[in-house]
Amino acid sequence: MEPKRPASEPPTRRRFIAQSLAAGAALGTWRPVYGRADEEIRIGLIGAGGRGTGAAVQALSTEGPVKLVAVADAFSDRLERSLERIVQRADGRVEVPASARYAGFDGYQKVLDRDDVDLVILATPPGFRPEHFEASIEAGKHVFMEKPVAVDAPGVRRVLATADVADSKGLRVGVGLQRHHDALYLETLRRLHAGDLGDLVALRVYWNSDGVWVRPRKSDMTEMEYQMRNWYYFNWLCGDHIVEQHIHNIDVGNWAKKAHPVKAQGQGGRQTRNGREHGEIYDHHFVEFTYADGSTMLSQCRHMKDCWNQVGEFAHGTAGTCNISEGFIQRADGRVWHYDGEPQNPFQVEHDDLFSALRNDEEFNEARRGAEATMSAILGRMATYSGQEITWEQAMESKLSLAPERMAWDASPPSLPDADGRYAIAMPGKGQAL
């Protein structure tokens, strides 16, 4: 944390903004504005894994002066490795001395306490997202946060409440659902909404792949460290891969329908990724989501090697079909449309759009969309874990919190291994969903 300035020291631009914000808050209006397009935006990175590293590089590649000034991560080794990679790819826009590198569970707060940080990137495992988002907005920071934005219904409700506070303070919020910044998706969905397929009656969405990394357990690790290193396999951190990964495709289905599902039922389990090292998540989910108009979305996500892989979204309407992810429409009358625009990197564009809104004083808050997509995926997990049909209202009202009672290296995570080193797996019909 920076030392306090003497009271007699002239205020910096950021201190002036902070004081202005405080005055505005007292009057009920918070509206942080960058007076010039060439104002330097200073970034704090919270969560220095692979996605956090990539997001930081993309933020530092936006137009106009920008600098990374602070980094926090639970693990110091990951923090240092991330910084090395960021410097290699964004040389000249990184100024993070040892005093601005914070390891441990409380590192995020030390970044937020800095008055030289304008915007934070939240890229920790998603179980931390509601707390970190709330603290960031309370601290008056603009936010880019990775998806999903929570792992349970209490977390989603917390994000939605914080989104309202962000609006009241005039803070900009981006969420890493980058398909909304991809020209192919934007044009394809525009055509669907214009009626090119007639009425949408069904959707199919997929994230079928081989699966992700496993990090071996070491003898000196506490259980908390092991789970944090392997966060993808524990629901309090990840939410299961239907939430962490398949959220992208479910979100596109909601986008196509301009709505969220009203209920879901499905099935899932573990078949090929069933080792001790695979924690407590399923390796496959199949969900039938139903929307208010009676249309359905069939959802598959799978982590299995040497199987049919597919990551994409498909729409079926009364006037034809569409491969959304390929930008291809086949109408029943024989007409065909195929997107032929220049390819873009939507991971970059989502940062370009956020920073442009910040520099040009434009409204920008994607938190509610992120929360709805996250809750839709959680609804699917509830259905597969329970074996029951779950309504949107039941899911949203759920009191089940997956968070541990205490965050510390010697604390016990919510799920602990048995004597054989295995974790309890959700069993349909046993009522664990809500």
Side-chain angles (χ1 to χ4, degrees):
M1 187 186 304
E2 290 188 326
K4 297 292 185 182
R5 296 182 179 85
S8 60
E9 183 179 346
T12 63
R13 175 186 67 87
R14 289 177 185 81
R15 176 156 293 231
F16 174 78
I17 290 173
Q19 291 170 343
S20 300
L21 293 179
L27 297 173
T29 57
W30 273 54
R31 193 151 181 81
V33 175
Y34 287 81
R36 303 189 309 274
D38 62 352
E39 200 86 67
E40 183 176 74
I41 299 175
R42 296 166 74 85
I43 298 170
L45 171 61
I46 298 172
R51 186 75 283 273
T53 301
V57 171
Q58 285 140 10
L60 294 172
S61 301
T62 58
E63 186 174 346
V66 61
K67 184 172 289 184
L68 180 67
V69 299
V71 179
D73 193 88
F75 299 107
S76 59
D77 61 324
R78 191 162 59 188
L79 187 158
E80 296 299 332
R81 186 165 58 247
S82 173
L83 261 178
E84 290 177 6
R85 293 171 178 170
I86 295 170
V87 169
Q88 290 171 1
R89 297 165 63 186
D91 190 27
R93 291 189 163 193
V94 180
E95 189 176 313
V96 186
S99 60
R101 305 175 188 186
Y102 307 105
F105 285 108
D106 62 347
Y108 79 96
Q109 190 61 59
K110 294 176 181 178
V111 171
L112 297 178
D113 286 342
R114 297 180 65 100
D115 66 3
D116 64 342
V117 170
D118 304 310
L119 178 146
V120 289
I121 296 170
L122 305 181
T124 61
F128 294 100
R129 198 83 72 244
E131 178 181 359
H132 290 181
F133 179 44
E134 183 179 76
S136 300
I137 297 303
E138 181 179 346
K141 312 299 185 186
H142 304 284
V143 172
F144 175 83
M145 57 179 169
E146 264 304 333
K147 56 74 209 163
V149 300
V151 297
D152 52 31
V156 169
R157 294 194 295 267
R158 192 172 180 181
V159 168
L160 287 169
T162 303
D164 292 340
V165 178
D167 279 344
S168 73
K169 293 185 173 184
L171 294 168
R172 281 60 168 184
V173 182
V175 175
L177 293 168
Q178 73 279 354
R179 285 162 172 77
H180 289 272
H181 302 268
D182 186 322
L184 180 152
Y185 275 89
L186 288 165
E187 177 59 18
T188 304
L189 269 294
R190 186 193 69 78
R191 288 173 176 269
L192 296 189
H193 293 155
D196 279 21
L197 289 189
D199 295 330
L200 293 185
V201 295
L203 295 153
R204 294 180 290 118
V205 297
Y206 304 91
W207 195 300
N208 291 341
S209 65
D210 291 350
V212 298
W213 39 261
V214 172
R215 297 182 177 121
R217 186 189 292 269
K218 297 181 180 179
S219 60
D220 60 345
M221 284 182 175
T222 65
E223 182 62 27
M224 180 64 80
E225 179 179 353
Y226 174 74
Q227 293 195 18
M228 287 281 289
R229 296 279 188 183
N230 287 275
W231 61 270
Y232 207 101
Y233 297 97
F234 297 95
N235 287 326
W236 73 275
L237 288 163
C238 165
D240 205 316
H241 64 100
I242 189 174
V243 178
E244 205 288 327
Q245 207 170 44
H246 193 35
I247 181 177
H248 285 296
N249 318 107
I250 294 171
D251 171 57
V252 171
N254 287 352
W255 185 6
K257 292 298 298 182
K258 296 184 177 180
H260 62 70
V262 297
K263 62 181 180 180
Q265 67 82 26
Q267 54 191 286
R270 289 161 63 104
Q271 188 170 356
T272 66
R273 290 172 66 84
N274 195 30
R276 296 176 181 85
E277 69 274 19
H278 297 128
E280 61 183 345
I281 69 171
Y282 282 5
D283 66 4
H284 63 281
H285 300 258
F286 177 87
V287 183
E288 179 185 53
F289 293 98
T290 302
Y291 291 90
D293 63 0
S295 61
T296 59
M297 175 168 64
L298 302 181
S299 152
Q300 289 183 27
C301 59
R302 183 176 61 203
H303 280 181
M304 295 181 180
K305 291 184 177 180
D306 301 321
C307 295
W308 176 72
N309 286 345
Q310 171 66 253
V311 177
E313 308 85 25
F314 302 82
H316 301 261
T318 55
T321 61
C322 175
N323 181 332
I324 300 174
S325 49
E326 295 292 335
F328 182 83
I329 294 175
Q330 174 71 62
R331 287 177 50 92
D333 61 11
R335 284 186 288 167
V336 172
W337 172 80
H338 195 189
Y339 179 78
D340 61 358
E342 290 294 320
Q344 297 177 311
N345 178 359
F347 292 95
Q348 182 61 54
V349 177
E350 65 183 349
H351 288 274
D352 293 341
D353 291 346
L354 170 60
F355 279 74
S356 175
L358 183 53
R359 292 187 183 280
N360 294 295
D361 191 24
E362 299 166 350
E363 292 184 2
F364 197 100
N365 189 344
E366 298 180 332
R368 294 179 190 84
R369 182 168 70 208
E372 182 174 282
T374 298
M375 194 65 231
S376 299
I378 291 171
L379 171 64
R381 185 191 70 213
M382 288 179 171
T384 60
Y385 276 22
S386 69
Q388 304 297 320
E389 183 176 80
I390 308 292
T391 68
W392 180 266
E393 289 76 15
Q394 287 175 319
M396 278 297 297
E397 293 170 3
S398 171
K399 302 299 191 293
L400 178 64
S401 172
L402 302 181
E405 295 182 2
R406 186 169 64 94
M407 290 293 187
W409 294 120
D410 62 350
S412 294
S415 179
L416 295 172
D418 62 18
D420 193 37
R422 291 188 173 274
Y423 298 86
I425 309 302
M427 187 63 65
K430 301 299 182 181
Q432 299 109 321
L434 299 174

